Structure formats: C-alpha cells, structure tokens
Amino acid sequence: MPVIEVNGLCKKFMLRADRADSFSKMFNTLFRRANHGEDREFWALKDVSFSVPEGKSVGVIGVNGSGKSTLLKLLTGTLRPTKGHITVRGKRSSLIELGAGFHPDFSGRDNVYLNGMILGMSRARVKEKFEEIVAFAELEQFIDVPVKYYSSGMQARLGFAAATAVEPDILIVDEVLAVGDSSFQLKCLSRIREMQGRGVSIVLVSHGMGDIEAVCDEVLWLHKGEAVMFGNTGDVVREYRVNQGLPLPGHAGA
Amino acid sequence: MSKISVSFVEEKEHMRHRLTRYCDLVTGLALRDVKMRYQLSVLGLYWAVLNPLLMTAVWSFVFSKIFRAEGIKGVPYVVFLFCGLTFWNLFSNSLMTAVNCLTGNASLLSKLYFPRVILPTSSVMARLVDFAFSLIVLAILMVIYRVTPGCKLYWLPLLIVIELVFTLGLAYIVSAVNVLYRDLGQILSVLLTLWLYISPVIYTLEQVPPGIKDYFICNPVGELIYMEVNVVLGSGVVDPAALGVTALISAGVFLLGLLVFRRLESAFAEVM
Ligand SMILES: Nc1ncnc2c1ncn2[C@@H]1O[C@H](COP(=O)(O)OP(=O)(O)OP(=O)(O)O)[C@@H](O)[C@H]1O
Ligand SMILES: [Mg+2]
C-alpha cells in the first residue's frame, strides 16, 4: 500500500486586500459602503495527484511560489485542502523551513524538548534521545544558548537532528539542508540513507538538484500549483534542467 | 464520495501513551509561558503578586473607607478583597493571556501540526503558577490579620477545578475568535472589567437585594468566587444546588468552547 496518496488536491487561498480581520474594521464596514479591495482567489495547488509507494522517497521541485511548501503543509496537516483527497500511512515527522517552530528566546535545550514533544515524543523519550540529538547537531557548547544567537546552519542542524530522532515512517523536509555546510550535508545525507535503509519514506523539497538526485526515487515537478511532471527522478530532473536553462551534468561548460 | 478527505493513518498508539504525550506537551508549553513571564520579563511577579496587592490596597481604601462596603463579617475587608481577587484573577488573567495564545504562536502553528487546543489549554494552566503565588500571599495576609481559615476548606480543590473547566471553555472560544478578529483582546478587557463588578468580589452575595440576587446564579464565575471566598474565609456553607447548577453550566461552556474551537480551527494556518 502506498504511504502517501494524493488525489485531485486543490488548495485555494483568499488574498484579500482589505479583510475585515478585526471587530473595528467590521464595525466600520457596517456603516460605510464596504470598500473591499476585490476578494482575489489564489489557487496555490490545482488538481495535484501522485502517490509514494512504501519505502520509496519523493522529491518536489519547482520555482519559487510554485506551491511546494503548501503541498508539504497539507501533508503534515497544518493546512486543510480546499478539494481533493490525502491519505498518509505511518508516523510523520517534519522539518518545514528553517528553525521550524523554534522559539528564538529559548535555549536549544528547551526548544529540542518542545519540538520533540510536538513531533510526537513523550518527555521521557526526548530525554533518552537528547544526548544523541545534540551530538548529531554538534552543538554541545551552544545547547544552553538562546536559539536567536544561532547561525542558520546551527538552527538547521538542531532542527534536522530533532526531526529525525522521532523515528518516523515518513520524514517531510522542506529546504533546510541547503544552509548546512558540506560536512553537515553529508551527515544528513547519510542519516537519510540509513533511514531509507530502514524503510522510511522521505519527502524532500529542494532547489538543489544534487540533493534530489541523491535522495529521491521519484520527483514531482510543480509549476504555478500544477503538476508538470511526476515520475522517475532522472527523467524529471533532466526535463526540469532543460526547462530552467540549467546546465546538464556531463554537458557542463560545453 | 465527498469532495475533501484527509486521513492520517497511524499505528494505533496506546491511549495512555497518547495522553502522557499530550500532558507532557501542555506542561512543556505552560512552563515555557511561565518562564517567559518570570525570566524574560521583569513583570512576572508584578502580575502575579504586586498588581493584586496594589489593587487591593487602593480598592479597599475606596470601597471600605468611602463607600463603606463590607465583606464577610469578622474578616478585615483587605483580606476579603484580596481573597476574591485571587480567584477572580485566575479567571480573568487566563482569558487575557489565552486570547493571544494562537496569534502569538503563528510560526509554531504554520509549521508544525499538533492538536491546536493544546495551546489555549497550556496558556490557562500557566496561570496556575501566578495563582499559587497569589495564594501564598493570601495565606500570609491571613496570618498577619489573624483570620482563621474556614472549616470546610476541603471544598476548595473541587471549586477550583470547576472554575478551570469554565475558564478553559471560554479560553477556547476567545483564542479561536481572536485569530479571525485580532482586536478581541481590547473588547475582552472591557467586558472583564464589567464582569468583575457583577461578581461578588468587592461585595458579598448577602448584600445583593433579593430580587436581583436570583439572577446571580447565571454568572458561574461569580457563584464560584462567592463559594471559594466563603470556604477560605467564612463559614463555608456550600449550597449543593447552586454548586450543581454552576458545575453544569461550566461543563456546558467547556463543551461549547471545544465545539467552537473545532469549527474555527481549520482556518488558523491560513490566516496566520
Ligand atoms: N497563507 C497563505 N495565504 C495566501 N497565500 C499563500 C499562503 N501561503 C502560501 N501562499 C501563496 O501560495 C503560493 C505558493 O507558496 P509556497 O510557499 O507553497 O511556494 P514554494 O513552492 O514553497 O516556494 P519557495 O520555493 O519560494 O519556497 C505563493 O504564491 C504564496 O504567495
Ligand atoms: Mg517553500
């Protein structure tokens, strides 16, 4: 059975210039002729379908604003679809954007505990895993420093270490590997490999085609909310590179 | 087949395990809230202790010296007022912080999924720490003014639990509505000020004229504060009928709160 099935998925956002988002605005519009900027609908995802077989990993690529993060948020449950069907089988863990859910004023330690509990671990479980998380992130010296003093790479390290410690069946990662240095990227890749070896599915959003090729079996290419292509990583990435005017490997410098 | 379906199929987690996890999370978030108030802001102790003390000092002067208000017979008005404010603040401060608990955690809400009711719940639980500090000050005041606690003090925990249930229900509603209408906080603070005056905090129920008094049962917080103050300072007779009605209303408000919250929940991530 596929771990992820997405069928005819649509997501609409309302882009309202003048949303009555407070009682005072609402009160005003009662007395004045409502002068809304037009209510503009925006379809961030249009009829997207794909599925991920058990143990396989999928990449999502596309230009900025094409709907990748929106798709991942629908998969984690933070957003609800406007139309369509989503089935996800297995325990999820996610790392959406940098410093996912970290509170800048609190120490790395506090944040790891809270993040771990939100992602599905009990307090006792986080405690067991804590040493390992910190060691993986190589942040022993900074763990009691507020996260606002962390560099982007440090935040990514801690976020990734915490998200993977949950031991999920499905790991959802949105553009966080890119900020790590190359040694950490290698470390992440090897952990991802190890998880894949245990049958974990990865859903990875990245602008780095290298990462996508290294991790994913299949790739979904989104453009303006629509699925342009879904299939074998090699094929989709090649098409995408051509479309984006990126050099093809092997043709570099030609 | 319906237009929308979302299903997250997970291995069945043991109910007890899930509950521990959620309790851990509520506690974790509540402690973070407390830490933020006490460690990261100097105002922590101000809100918990100093503010009610200052209010008590000024009000007890105005109400007992000028308006000649009386509290419970044989109990100094200062102690009576501080006691009432302690229980009132548990309710009022909970709502005033809960109203911003979703809007204040926008990044958490848009990036991680967890049952959203956990946020207002932990926000209310965090106020228990302020409440505990206030109770300590109350005990000290009672020693200073030589007030012996009532002999039915064992009712207090139950009364506090009912107050919390009622408060949670309203906290769910105000936090969810505030996501859609961001100025609810201002309106709420006005409403709470009015609410304080129709609750027996600066006066006792006995002083209310009989015709009006019958309506006071509609105000569960007022009823609870009346019973709590009486249990702590006075004879402590708890009217089982009044308690039953109050408990029922509280449970109803709690369920209504959960319902409203669930209805509005799906819109949260979008407008954050
Ligand atoms: N809460 C929201 N309200 C309104 N519009 C939104 C909301 N979230 C996303 N959008 C819009 O949906 C579109 C897709 O956004 P999304 O974040 O999914 O893009 P993305 O593919 O992740 O881009 P990037 O590569 O820059 O991360 C964008 O045009 C964005 O403006
Ligand atoms: Mg994105």
Side-chain angles (χ1 to χ4, degrees), chain B:
Chain B
M1 210 155 119
S2 68
K3 242 173 49 180
I4 307 171
S5 75
V6 179
S7 55
F8 295 122
V9 189
E10 289 186 30
E11 211 173 290
K12 207 137 172 67
E13 190 181 6
H14 202 287
M15 194 61 190
R16 209 188 56 223
H17 185 224
R18 182 183 294 261
L19 229 76
T20 340
R21 217 148 56 67
Y22 290 160
C23 283
D24 283 357
L25 188 51
V26 168
T27 321
L29 282 164
L31 287 178
R32 188 175 88 167
D33 194 312
V34 170
K35 222 171 171 177
M36 194 136 54
R37 230 154 128 119
Y38 287 84
Q39 178 184 316
L40 305 176
S41 110
V42 278
L43 291 177
L45 270 180
Y46 168 77
W47 283 112
V49 175
L50 240 55
N51 183 52
L53 270 179
L54 278 174
M55 287 221 339
T56 306
V58 176
W59 283 15
S60 66
F61 170 74
V62 172
F63 291 120
S64 78
K65 293 285 179 308
I66 300 175
F67 289 117
R68 308 258 166 228
E70 273 172 50
I72 296 173
K73 293 260 178 325
V75 177
Y77 188 75
V78 188
V79 180
F80 167 76
L81 187 58
F82 189 83
C83 184
L85 278 178
T86 298
F87 293 109
W88 168 259
N89 282 340
L90 174 60
F91 168 70
S92 158
N93 290 348
S94 290
L95 289 191
M96 282 312 290
T97 47
V99 74
N100 291 318
C101 74
L102 295 171
T103 41
N105 280 303
S107 82
L108 205 60
L109 286 173
S110 64
K111 287 182 189 164
L112 289 170
Y113 184 74
F114 57 101
R116 268 64 173 110
V117 263
I118 284 182
L119 272 176
T121 308
S122 67
S123 173
V124 171
M125 292 306 146
R127 298 287 79 75
L128 281 175
V129 175
D130 299 358
F131 177 67
F133 277 120
S134 195
L135 278 185
I136 294 171
V137 175
L138 175 64
I140 295 172
L141 279 180
M142 286 169 70
V143 171
I144 295 173
Y145 285 93
R146 296 178 200 290
V147 180
T148 44
C151 56
K152 299 258 170 59
L153 203 59
Y154 51 81
W155 279 100
L156 192 59
L158 176 66
L159 293 172
I160 294 173
V161 168
I162 299 175
E163 184 177 340
L164 281 176
V165 168
F166 182 76
T167 308
L168 279 171
L170 281 187
Y172 297 151
I173 297 174
V174 294
S175 60
V177 171
N178 190 54
V179 175
L180 306 177
Y181 302 103
R182 302 292 168 102
D183 56 355
L184 180 64
Q186 279 131 284
I187 298 170
L188 187 67
S189 81
V190 175
L191 288 181
L192 283 172
T193 310
L194 297 179
W195 199 332
L196 170 62
Y197 286 106
I198 57 164
S199 303
V201 175
I202 45 187
Y203 51 86
T204 73
L205 267 191
E206 283 79 16
Q207 294 159 322
V208 179
I212 308 172
K213 196 171 162 182
D214 297 340
Y215 297 104
F216 271 64
I217 190 78
C218 305
N219 172 11
V221 190
E223 204 63 40
L224 283 164
I225 291 176
Y226 170 73
M227 289 188 258
E228 284 161 340
V229 171
N230 262 292
V231 155
V232 175
L233 302 176
S235 53
V237 271
V238 173
D239 174 8
L243 183 64
V245 171
T246 309
L248 270 180
I249 298 180
S250 301
V253 167
F254 181 79
L255 291 178
L256 179 74
L258 281 178
L259 228 71
V260 170
F261 197 90
R262 292 209 57 159
R263 281 307 286 272
L264 300 178
E265 192 171 21
S266 58
F268 291 169
E270 256 128 280
V271 292
M272 282 301 172

Side-chain angles (χ1 to χ4, degrees), chain A residues 64-65 68-70 97 174-175 205 207:
Chain A
N64 292 143
K68 305 180 297 293
S69 299
T70 305
E97 289 155 19
D174 191 352
E175 274 182 298
V205 164
H207 290 290

